Amino acid sequence: MISTNLLALFYLVSGVLFILALRGLSSPETSRQGNFFGILGMLIAVLVTFLSIGNFSTSFIYVILFLLIGGGVGAFIAFKIPMTAMPELVAGFHSLVGLAAVFVAISAFLNPEAFNLGVSGNIKLASLIEMSIGAAVGAITFSGSIIAFLKLRGIMSGAPITFPAQHILNLIILISIIVLTYFLCVTQLPNLFWSLIAISFLVGILLIIPIGGADMPVVISMLNSYSGWAAAGIGFTLENTALIITGALVGSSGAILSYIMCKGMNRSFFSVILGGFGGTDQTTKSGNKEQKPVKSGNSDDAAFLMKNASSVIIVPGYGMAVAQAQHALREMVDTLKKNGIKVSYAIHPVAGRMPGHMNVLLAEANVPYDEVFELEEINNDFANCDVAYVIGANDVTNPVAKTDPQSPIYGMPILDVEKAKSVLFVKRSLSPGYAGVDNDLFYRENTLMLFADAKKMTEDIIKSF
Amino acid sequence: MEIDPFVFRLSIFILSIFVGYYVVWSVTPSLHTPLMSVTNAISSVIIVGAIIAALAGNNENIFNEASIFGFLAIILAAVNIFGGFLVTQRMLAMYKKKKK
């Protein structure tokens, strides 16, 4: 048994260790140590909780058992998951945090004595409000993450699902959540609590279905943020400092990532959330476009161009992840380097389906991280490079974003690929990207289209070298 | 008059948001995916609530209607804790510098 004050101090230590865990991620060298701090913080939090309860009877055995079952499943997933599936894994994990928050809130509602929150039917008002917020946000996180998971996994279509009066319906439901919380606080009726959770599940689904596949980086970041706020809500209920600190950290982390992603697309957070982008209204435009001349080539042409280059910049995108081309790409780069060609990688902030997605895939393929650059760091180098190799990216290279104020992607920061002496564009067809906008780059004088699967083409180039 | 403990917790909360804000801005963009997986792992510290809930049952009735939700939450949070930290570890181990 340890005293309440000592317990609170230990939770504070945990919270500080979690801050250090995030702090470690400021550079790859310190990141592994940071992760260790995170694990240590978690270990302390769990151990002191056991000591504070001091109940080492049969229940304790079951707790350990359930912990090991969950831990075993988690460890198995962590070792088995391919790096390309990271976005759906993170979405799946968010759903678990959300559901865990809901379960803890339910448990606290059914047995408030265990948490010193009053007695059943007469729970302290503040606790009840905090509990409701934790449960509602947790439920939204859960069902929203499930939808995001299904979309990322391809089980559900990535196309936005919209219907008339969608936003009005969402608004009505959000208001009803507030009204329900109010009546729950007044009457303490369990049925209101269950309804609150049920409606929150519904909100989560409705919030995510209108958002299209390529907006997923924002969605995942947003759900990350929600899972933090849910944890903080529960932290207030349980009067637990570690949970409050962590919830705030995670909440602001997700919010910042959402902001960075929105900025990378030059879209406001609300326009992403309200969804419908890349839907049917834009596809009609592509029907009446005139035929423009396109230069296309094969792997020999590409190899020839690269052989004569002195510097090459690689621009990877989601297509590289889909084709699993990262290993082939690194082999190609090794070949280039053997021939004395300088190679670097340029990553757009919203490349892929989650923040940092491309960096992880390249790291997996043993690309040193100091050859990988962010948009601001490398954008000026395109003007001096001989070949830009665009593999699986599209909208993020479209010069229209700089020139045509009518375009849906106008103002989006893009990689200045068109400034390279020659552009090699690996793509299956001329089809427009996610935004439904034709890419001007396809028709440029210095662009050579390589129509093929990203992995196949990259392997062929190695052979032609 | 004494200050309500809630106000102290609220202060911790607000200050932590600011700490989070500055710490996360200093995270290098290439580590944004590990950032998400590690925040996911640490938010599973919600397991402390699950443990309290699960251990609140008495010995005659280990799985009562309140504690059963605690046990379920323990499983979910444990998947996240182990899965989140280990997958972060796995990713971070892949980030290597250029061989000189």
Side-chain angles (χ1 to χ4, degrees):
Chain A
M1 280 295 213
I2 54 176
S3 77
T4 321
N5 285 335
L6 194 58
L7 182 66
L9 287 174
F10 273 116
Y11 283 142
L12 183 63
V13 172
S14 281
V16 171
L17 285 168
F18 291 152
I19 294 172
L20 293 175
L22 299 192
R23 175 71 202 156
L25 291 171
S26 57
S27 93
E29 286 104 83
T30 55
S31 62
R32 285 169 275 258
Q33 191 194 32
N35 199 39
F36 172 73
F37 283 141
I39 296 171
L40 190 65
M42 188 63 73
L43 201 65
I44 291 175
V46 171
L47 285 181
V48 295
T49 308
F50 283 139
L51 290 175
S52 76
I53 303 171
N55 173 358
F56 295 106
S57 60
T58 329
S59 309
F60 178 72
I61 314 274
Y62 278 106
V63 168
I64 296 296
L65 184 70
F66 280 57
L67 204 100
L68 291 178
I69 294 172
V73 173
F76 179 78
I77 297 172
F79 285 117
K80 285 286 166 199
I81 193 91
M83 284 299 139
T84 41
M86 208 44 79
E88 50 263 47
L89 177 76
V90 169
F93 277 171
H94 287 157
S95 75
L96 298 183
V97 180
L99 196 58
V102 174
F103 284 167
V104 174
I106 291 177
S107 191
F109 184 77
L110 293 174
N111 186 7
E113 290 96 335
F115 298 93
N116 293 322
L117 307 175
V119 290
S120 202
N122 188 18
I123 300 170
K124 281 188 277 182
L125 179 64
S127 307
L128 198 54
I129 297 173
E130 290 153 4
M131 210 183 279
S132 308
I133 295 174
V137 180
I140 293 172
T141 312
F142 170 70
S143 55
S145 301
I146 292 288
I147 300 293
F149 174 83
L150 294 175
K151 284 194 173 197
L152 288 164
R153 193 83 216 159
I155 299 169
M156 211 173 129
S157 153
I161 299 170
T162 49
F163 52 86
Q166 193 161 25
H167 304 320
I168 297 168
L169 178 69
N170 287 347
L171 191 68
I172 292 172
I173 295 178
L174 282 175
I175 293 170
S176 70
I177 286 186
I178 297 166
V179 174
L180 265 179
T181 311
Y182 173 76
F183 281 109
L184 175 66
C185 293
V186 177
T187 64
Q188 307 241 354
L189 286 173
N191 279 343
L192 291 176
F193 188 67
W194 303 125
S195 320
L196 177 73
I197 293 175
I199 290 183
S200 304
F201 279 134
L202 187 66
V203 175
I205 296 171
L206 289 172
L207 273 181
I208 308 301
I209 54 168
I211 306 179
D215 282 340
M216 278 301 149
V218 183
V219 171
I220 298 194
S221 314
M222 187 179 82
L223 291 167
N224 184 247
S225 182
Y226 286 0
S227 69
W229 304 131
I234 302 294
F236 275 102
T237 321
L238 308 184
E239 312 189 336
N240 183 312
T241 338
L243 211 41
I244 294 175
I245 296 177
T246 317
L249 290 177
V250 178
S252 50
S253 159
I256 290 171
L257 289 176
S258 313
Y259 170 78
I260 296 174
M261 293 301 113
C262 287
K263 215 163 149 249
M265 296 191 288
N266 188 38
R267 301 189 36 215
S268 77
F269 184 67
F270 284 103
S271 83
V272 175
I273 295 308
L274 295 178
F277 193 70
T280 44
D281 45 334
Q282 268 128 13
T283 44
T284 47
K285 272 201 307 195
S286 54
N288 52 23
K289 95 185 156 214
E290 76 274 34
Q291 288 290 318
K292 283 180 272 185
V294 173
K295 282 201 292 181
S296 77
N298 58 25
S299 56
D300 293 329
D301 304 327
F304 177 78
L305 271 171
M306 288 205 221
K307 241 183 233 171
N308 292 313
S310 61
S311 68
V312 173
I313 298 180
I314 314 268
V315 181
Y318 182 57
M320 180 189 81
V322 175
Q324 302 259 16
Q326 66 271 29
H327 299 279
L329 183 67
R330 207 252 317 143
E331 280 173 43
M332 185 189 90
V333 169
D334 285 348
T335 317
L336 293 176
K337 280 198 219 151
K338 253 179 241 152
N339 286 272
I341 301 162
K342 184 178 168 284
V343 186
S344 27
Y345 299 80
I347 312 280
H348 191 275
V350 295
R353 284 292 186 262
M354 76 183 293
H357 192 186
M358 290 300 121
N359 304 78
V360 170
L361 293 182
L362 292 175
E364 188 202 11
N366 282 322
V367 172
Y369 61 82
D370 38 7
E371 286 175 12
V372 183
F373 298 93
E374 304 301 318
L375 182 129
E376 315 84 69
E377 296 171 319
I378 200 166
N379 226 3
N380 292 329
D381 297 353
F382 279 106
N384 305 318
C385 96
D386 298 307
V387 175
Y389 187 69
V390 184
I391 173 168
N394 185 0
D395 287 336
V396 299
T397 62
N398 195 342
V400 158
K402 286 186 288 194
T403 52
D404 179 11
Q406 304 303 317
S407 171
I409 59 167
Y410 181 69
M412 173 168 131
I414 64 152
L415 289 161
D416 293 333
V417 173
E418 84 276 7
K419 289 187 184 155
K421 284 200 194 77
S422 1
V423 179
L424 294 171
F425 211 111
V426 190
K427 206 169 176 307
R428 283 170 204 267
S429 69
L430 279 181
S431 62
Y434 169 69
V437 191
D438 204 20
N439 194 341
D440 210 22
L441 202 57
F442 299 164
Y443 314 103
R444 293 281 172 109
E445 192 58 16
N446 59 344
T447 303
L448 188 68
M449 297 299 294
L450 306 169
F451 293 113
D453 172 74
K455 189 178 174 188
K456 175 111 197 352
M457 177 52 75
T458 309
E459 283 167 350
D460 287 348
I461 293 176
I462 304 172
K463 281 184 209 138
S464 311
F465 225 80
Chain B
M1 211 178 104
E2 272 189 68
I3 301 171
D4 189 326
F6 172 80
V7 178
F8 283 116
R9 284 191 280 274
L10 188 69
S11 320
I12 293 173
F13 180 63
I14 302 290
L15 291 174
S16 301
I17 291 178
F18 277 90
V19 172
Y21 179 86
Y22 289 105
V23 169
V24 172
W25 270 118
S26 75
V27 171
T28 164
S30 68
L31 291 176
H32 276 163
T33 299
L35 170 69
M36 298 199 96
S37 61
V38 84
T39 50
N40 192 58
I42 64 172
S43 56
S44 302
V45 69
I46 201 157
I47 199 168
V48 302
I51 292 172
I52 298 171
L55 290 180
N58 49 33
N59 271 331
E60 293 86 63
N61 189 7
I62 293 167
F63 297 103
N64 62 37
E65 58 169 1
S67 71
I68 196 108
F69 282 105
F71 279 109
L72 290 174
I74 288 179
I75 296 186
L76 298 177
V79 172
N80 250 322
I81 293 173
F82 284 75
F85 280 125
L86 288 174
V87 87
T88 310
Q89 193 81 11
R90 206 181 128 202
M91 278 192 274
L92 294 177
M94 298 186 310
Y95 282 81
K96 291 183 198 85
K97 247 194 159 141
K98 201 165 8 191
K99 283 189 211 86
K100 289 280 149 60

